[in-house]
Amino acid sequence: MGALDHAGVAYWDGRPFFRSAAMDDWLAAIGTETFRRAPFSLGVIGFEVSVCTSASAMAGRLPQERDIGYLLPRVEVLHHGAANT
């Protein structure tokens, strides 16, 4: 949040736990750039995401309803499924 403040990005949109689309998109961009240099099997974005799922449990598919964001590679292309609930 400090980096977004410093950059002048308005990120808080009233959602609980300081969740915002701007913050999630910023973290997804960092994850996407990281994936280019060091591929990973699953990235999760949001509040309290530890042990929420695994790449094998997702079986290459993004859930339709997402309370967190996902970065999920399929055939060497990283797909971002933003939180939508």
Side-chain angles (χ1 to χ4, degrees):
M1 291 185 288
L4 292 173
D5 282 335
H6 184 69
V9 175
Y11 57 87
W12 191 71
D13 57 9
R15 290 193 243 177
F17 307 117
F18 300 102
R19 277 194 54 200
S20 75
M23 189 179 310
D24 288 356
D25 289 347
W26 181 66
L27 291 169
I30 291 169
T32 299
E33 188 61 31
T34 300
F35 181 79
R36 289 184 186 133
R37 297 185 175 147
F40 50 82
S41 59
L42 175 65
V44 290
I45 300 167
F47 187 78
E48 298 282 334
V49 297
S50 63
V51 301
C52 61
T53 190
S54 67
S56 60
M58 296 192 67
R61 293 184 305 272
L62 292 168
Q64 290 293 105
E65 294 185 6
R66 301 176 295 273
D67 57 353
I68 62 173
Y70 295 92
L71 297 172
L72 184 64
R74 282 185 267 160
V75 193
E76 298 180 24
V77 175
L78 188 65
H79 297 270
H80 175 219
N84 62 9
T85 60

